[in-house]
Amino acid sequence: MASVDANGITIEYEREGEGDPLLLVMGLGGQLSDWPQGFRDALTSRGFEVIRLDNRDAGLSTEFTSAPPTTVDLAKAMVSRRFVDAEYLLADMAADAVGLLDALGLESVHVAGMSMGGMISQTLAIEYPSRIRSMTSVMSTTGNRRVGQPKAKLVRTMAKRDTPTPETAVEQSVEFFRLISGPTFHEEDFRALATESVSRSFRPAGTARQTAAIFASPDRTPALEQLDVPTLVIHGMVDPLVRPSGGIATAKAVPDSRLLMFNDMGHDLPRTRWDEMADAIRQNADRAAAAEQQAAAS
């Protein structure tokens, strides 16, 4: 493991493989350890150097200290489309990622992010276009509150959840991901991953602050429509947390983007689709290389 001081915080990261640099950005409350090893292996075998980071307020990166919004406040914001107070925004989290790239001496990378990580990846492409070679947005949305919203039943369930403790966090996580994952969800594999995550870092307040950052950040649709970066959008057709309309809207917004949807994918990364996802990310990265060669030749 390694860390750098960048953008005023400490950022934990890991690198593996050799080839084109690919930054993986995890979703809400997730840690760099939550990317499945098998998926990472699929990416490194396709010529990527995989770089993972802990977002601020998660894992081993800097933890913030402001009082987090309550679960009820966040649920109300989710259904009422009102904004919440936030200590930071998705733009700050994107700046963290750029700070990491600077510290590692990387001028540009491919980026792939899931859920909130997809939102951060979109923000990176919007605000730092020269640093992003290609973008993959997985199970994410545009920030337009009319698309990608969770099912009402799921919102009610989330609002009723007890605040997790170190003793209850693993089983609560298993129960929640059973609700939001697709039909290939493997409970024991996920329990092992959740156990590792809770042992590594337990920050429920950080997850709440990250959620506030999502709700406090603006709609990215107009800026996405101006992007000029090879873009792949991956989404599950049975995703109840970020419903498919979020992925469809993202693909519709970004010019010349490609949309890949799986009928057996919820808000998860089904192992049955790892190779297909890795192939698609490689193909999207190759689009960027082809465009660079064409620009150099003209």
Side-chain angles (χ1 to χ4, degrees):
M1 295 185 184
S3 64
V4 299
D5 292 328
N7 199 33
I9 66 171
T10 297
I11 302 172
E12 190 78 10
Y13 73 94
E14 290 190 5
R15 306 172 79 167
E16 58 191 316
E18 296 181 357
D20 299 326
L22 171 65
L23 180 68
L24 297 184
V25 188
M26 180 44 67
L28 178 66
Q31 304 180 46
L32 60 80
S33 57
D34 291 329
W35 291 100
Q37 182 67 59
F39 182 59
R40 287 148 43 198
D41 291 343
L43 292 168
T44 57
S45 70
R46 286 160 175 80
F48 288 112
E49 178 195 14
V50 172
I51 305 162
R52 296 169 289 144
L53 79 158
D54 282 331
N55 292 313
R56 58 171 62 195
D57 252 343
L60 303 181
S61 290
T62 293
E63 183 174 17
F64 285 67
T65 58
S66 65
T70 67
T71 302
V72 173
D73 288 339
L74 293 174
K76 288 180 179 178
M78 191 178 297
V79 298
S80 69
R81 300 180 185 172
R82 70 179 178 86
F83 289 99
V84 298
D85 293 330
E87 186 172 0
Y88 50 82
L89 302 175
L90 294 173
D92 297 301
M93 302 176 85
D96 294 343
V98 171
L100 173 62
L101 301 186
D102 289 343
L104 298 181
L106 295 171
E107 293 185 3
S108 63
V109 296
H110 304 281
V111 63
M114 58 178 283
S115 197
M116 181 190 72
M119 303 173 195
I120 296 170
S121 298
Q122 294 171 22
T123 306
L124 277 166
I126 290 167
E127 299 198 2
Y128 306 93
S130 66
R131 310 299 296 270
I132 302 303
R133 302 181 193 177
S134 73
M135 175 179 71
T136 301
S137 180
V138 186
M139 63 181 92
S140 194
T141 187
T142 63
N144 181 336
R145 304 292 285 278
R146 293 188 295 272
V147 298
Q149 294 303 296
K151 290 186 175 180
K153 182 179 179 181
L154 184 61
V155 174
R156 292 192 294 269
T157 299
M158 293 164 64
K160 295 177 182 177
R161 294 178 71 199
D162 294 330
T163 301
T165 67
E167 293 74 27
T168 65
V170 171
E171 289 307 315
Q172 283 193 16
S173 184
V174 171
E175 290 175 7
F176 183 62
F177 273 83
R178 189 187 297 121
L179 292 175
I180 66 175
S181 297
T184 64
F185 177 65
H186 194 285
E187 184 169 315
E188 290 309 310
D189 284 354
F190 182 81
R191 179 176 282 105
L193 188 64
T195 300
E196 177 187 355
S197 294
V198 172
S199 176
R200 182 174 183 263
S201 177
F202 177 67
R203 295 181 177 178
T207 300
R209 284 188 289 266
Q210 289 183 350
T211 307
I214 293 173
F215 287 133
S217 295
D219 180 4
R220 293 174 296 282
T221 305
L224 290 172
E225 293 172 346
Q226 303 304 312
L227 283 183
D228 182 19
V229 60
T231 296
L232 169 68
V233 178
I234 301 175
H235 215 103
M237 295 176 67
V238 291
D239 188 340
L241 185 60
V242 181
R243 283 190 281 184
S245 60
I248 293 169
T250 304
K252 183 178 179 180
V254 181
D256 197 32
S257 64
R258 298 182 178 180
L259 177 62
L260 178 62
M261 302 186 75
F262 296 115
N263 61 7
D264 60 350
M265 177 177 170
H267 203 74
D268 60 344
L269 292 174
R271 65 171 59 243
T272 55
R273 300 294 186 175
W274 288 348
D275 282 333
E276 290 172 87
M277 290 183 186
D279 283 340
I281 293 170
R282 178 72 262 174
Q283 291 165 8
N284 192 52
D286 290 344
R287 289 174 63 198
E292 290 172 2
Q293 292 175 358
Q294 183 176 5
S298 61

